[in-house]
Amino acid sequence: KRTPGTQQSTGIRSPHVDDIAVEKALYGDRVKLTIRERAVVVAKLTRAGWSANEIGALIGLAARTVQRYRSGEQKHGREAA
C-alpha cells in the first residue's frame, strides 16, 4: 500500500479544513471529507505523483472526479458550468 510523505505541503490552508481528517484520508482511512478537504487530499497526492485512479481508489471517488478537482472544475459541491 502506498502512503504519501507528510513532509510535503500544498500550501492549501483553510479554516474549513480538518487537518486530521485530511491526514487520515491520506493514509487510507475512510473518513467523511468536505469538498475543501477532498481538494486538499487530491492536491497533496497529485504532487506526490499519484494517478487519478489511485487517488480515487484511496478516497472513494471516480477517477474523473479526481480529474475535475485537479482542473478546478469541482467547486462548492457541483461542477463549474
Side-chain angles (χ1 to χ4, degrees), residues 1-6 8 24-29 41-60 63 66-67 70:
K1 183 175 178 179
R2 289 178 65 178
T3 54
T6 57
Q8 292 182 341
K24 285 184 173 188
L26 288 170
Y27 285 95
D29 290 347
V41 171
V42 168
K44 285 186 176 201
L45 294 176
T46 296
R47 288 195 173 138
W50 287 44
S51 72
N53 287 331
E54 291 171 320
I55 295 169
L58 183 72
I59 62 174
V66 173
Q67 292 169 345
R70 286 176 169 175

Side-chain angles (χ1 to χ4, degrees), residues 11-81:
I12 298 173
R13 302 288 300 175
S14 169
H16 304 289
V17 172
D18 180 346
D19 291 329
I20 294 171
V22 169
E23 287 298 314
K24 285 184 173 188
L26 288 170
Y27 285 95
D29 290 347
R30 289 290 178 147
V31 294
K32 186 169 181 161
L33 299 171
T34 65
I35 292 163
R36 287 186 174 119
E37 291 162 353
R38 277 186 247 141
V40 171
V41 171
V42 168
K44 285 186 176 201
L45 294 176
T46 296
R47 288 195 173 138
W50 287 44
S51 72
N53 287 331
E54 291 171 320
I55 295 169
L58 183 72
I59 62 174
L61 295 176
R64 180 65 183 125
T65 304
V66 173
Q67 292 169 345
R68 286 185 180 116
Y69 274 102
R70 286 176 169 175
S71 70
E73 290 179 29
Q74 196 76 22
K75 295 179 183 174
H76 307 293
R78 57 191 156 175
E79 296 173 27

